[in-house]
Structures are given as C-alpha cells and as structure tokens.
Amino acid sequence: MSIFDENEAQYLAIRDAAEVAAGPLSSLRLRARGYLDLYHQSNGACVFALVAANGALWASWYLICAKLAAMVFACTDPTVRMSPATRYRQFAAYVTVLKDINKLVMVETYVLVHTIQQLGAEFAIAKGIPEDLVRDYERAMRSDPSPALLRDLYHRHFLWEQERVVSTKLDEGFAAFTWPFMSQLCQRPWVWFGYFRPGKSMNFRNFTDQAERVEKGLIAYDRAVAMGLDRIAKLSAARIKIYPGRAAFRAHQAPGIAETPSIGQGR
C-alpha cells in the first residue's frame, strides 16, 4: 500500500471515529463530552470546541422545555388553521435540523483537529479545510498561542462552520416551518451557557441572521476567556459527569486513533 493510500485509510478512520464520538442525533450531552474531549486533544487551541460543548449542554435542556411548550401551543394556538399534529410535527422537524447541525459541526471539528495532528497540514488542506485555519491551528497546537491568535482562530472557525453548514440548513429548516407562532418564538431563543452570570443571557432577535449568530458567538467566547478556559473545562466536565445523557451509548474511538500521539503537550 502506498503512503497516499495509507494516509487516505487513516483519514477515513478519523472520519469514522468522528461519527462515533458524535453519537446518535438526539444525544446532545454525548456531543458535549465529545467537544470537551476535542478541546483537550487540541491542547487547548480549539476553544471553539469548549464553547460548543457548553452550547450542547444548554440545548440539551432548553430543547426539552421548548418541546413541552410546543405541545401546549400546538393544541391552544388560535392564530392559524392547522391541526395540532401538523404543528407539532413541524416543530419536531425543526429540532431535528438543529441536532443535525450540531452533529455535523462536531464531526467536522473532530476531523479538523485529528487530521492536522495525525496526517499533517498539507493533507488537511488537500481535504478542503481552509489553509489559513489549518496553518494557524497547527501552530497553536504546537506552541503556547497568544490570546489574540486564539480569539481569531475561534472567529474564523465559527465563520467557516456558519458558511459551510449552519446557515443553509437553518434557512431550509425555517422555510419548512410554516406554523407562524412557534416559528417566531424559535427565531428568538434565550441562550444561557453554564458559565454566564445570572441575568446575562443572550437573547436573539433573529436566529437566522448569520451576523447576529457570529456576534453572539464572540460574546460567548469573550465571557469564557474572562472566567478562565481551564476553569470552564473543569466545570463542564463536572456537569457532564452528573448527568451524562444516554449512558447506554458509549463513544469508542476507531482502532488506531487513540494510540496516535497529539501534537505538543496538554496545557
């Protein structure tokens, strides 16, 4: 087998491991664990994964509350001639879109980190990951990056995922959501990550506005840095340990993935 074939086989193994780590579509708390592991595996360079872990933890309870509310509103909303079952099905389909986005972003973040670490920058670039993101992640995982570089990496990673996956799927999800009352509520989610101070939630005006999502994402990053990234990682791990989600499902890495050394040393 040629080196190219060996690298391609290892890349496919990384993608398989990413799918396993991301778990079932419904398992947001399992993905929170996966994101947190990625933060550590990147030697603290991928702060995107740490913030995303807290996003998944928030969504794991927020979507349950939204589901209960949707059940009530499906039966009581007098503003549209649509059966309660149809209303709720539309809401459930929208939630599935959110979980699908969450899983896709987790998979690609896993692939980004492990491909750079195990197969190198050139291979990662050849697989379509933006060159500037690859080069700077490689540098950040090998050294002690400056706060400015970490924030810039987070910003560019966030934008890449928005443009590659999130925006299109969200727009399509809302286009199929023709129950006006609930659709409008879902456009204005109340976001509160575990490290936010009381009374400091992020309240959206228009969730399908990419610029607003990026703005809120940077707010979440800056608040994480202000509290301390290592502290947040420990608090997040404790929250996941208290209630890990679908305990019957365990994410195991594909053969050979766990044994491959990471770039640099953990910080």
Side-chain angles (χ1 to χ4, degrees):
M1 181 182 290
S2 68
I3 293 177
F4 174 82
D5 290 336
E6 289 177 2
N7 287 347
E8 188 67 23
Q10 189 171 352
Y11 174 75
L12 292 176
I14 290 170
R15 294 206 71 91
D16 287 344
E19 290 285 345
V20 174
L25 200 63
S26 61
S27 193
L28 287 159
R29 295 186 74 88
L30 179 64
R31 280 193 288 285
R33 174 75 265 174
Y35 272 126
L36 187 58
D37 289 343
L38 275 176
Y39 170 70
H40 292 300
Q41 290 160 3
S42 72
N43 304 307
C46 189
V47 185
F48 177 89
L50 179 61
V51 175
N54 281 270
L57 286 170
W58 162 77
S60 69
W61 63 263
Y62 183 85
L63 290 178
I64 292 173
C65 296
K67 177 180 178 180
L68 295 174
M71 288 178 177
V72 174
F73 293 142
C75 297
T76 59
D77 176 21
T79 62
V80 65
R81 297 185 66 180
M82 184 185 291
S83 72
T86 299
R87 296 171 186 178
Y88 187 77
R89 278 198 299 269
Q90 288 194 2
F91 168 77
Y94 168 70
V95 170
T96 298
V97 168
L98 294 181
K99 291 178 179 179
D100 186 38
I101 290 170
N102 184 264
K103 180 170 182 174
L104 286 171
V105 172
M106 160 80 189
V107 166
E108 294 307 321
T109 301
Y110 186 108
V111 170
L112 180 153
V113 169
H114 285 281
T115 301
I116 294 171
Q117 288 181 332
Q118 297 173 37
L119 296 171
E122 300 302 330
F123 190 92
I125 293 165
K127 287 299 179 181
I129 303 173
E131 181 174 0
D132 65 313
L133 206 57
V134 171
R135 301 289 185 199
D136 286 340
Y137 261 125
E138 183 182 45
R139 179 158 56 98
M141 287 191 286
R142 287 185 180 277
S143 61
D144 188 15
S146 68
L149 175 58
L150 282 181
R151 191 179 193 275
D152 187 48
L153 260 177
Y154 171 90
H155 187 193
R156 282 183 281 144
H157 191 156
F158 197 101
L159 282 171
W160 178 53
E161 294 294 0
Q162 293 294 314
E163 293 167 357
R164 191 186 59 83
V165 172
V166 179
S167 293
T168 299
K169 284 190 168 289
L170 263 185
D171 289 344
E172 291 172 351
F174 271 104
F177 201 171
T178 60
W179 175 16
F181 176 78
M182 202 65 194
S183 177
Q184 289 167 15
L185 284 181
C186 290
Q187 282 279 17
R188 300 191 297 275
W190 177 87
V191 180
W192 194 87
F193 293 175
Y195 59 88
F196 289 4
R197 293 179 180 177
K200 293 294 184 180
S201 63
M202 295 190 302
N203 303 317
F204 277 81
R205 300 177 299 275
N206 183 355
F207 195 52
T208 50
D209 182 349
Q210 179 176 310
E212 186 178 7
R213 292 197 304 274
V214 173
E215 173 195 349
K216 295 291 196 294
L218 288 172
I219 290 172
Y221 176 90
D222 290 336
R223 290 180 181 180
V225 170
M227 176 173 281
L229 301 178
D230 289 341
R231 181 183 176 190
I232 289 172
K234 291 176 183 177
L235 291 172
S236 301
R239 292 176 64 199
I240 295 168
K241 187 175 182 180
I242 291 169
Y243 179 59
R246 302 181 68 171
F249 183 92
R250 294 184 61 85
H252 295 288
Q253 291 177 309
I257 296 297
E259 292 77 11
T260 305
S262 298
I263 291 174
Q265 301 296 320
R267 291 198 295 275

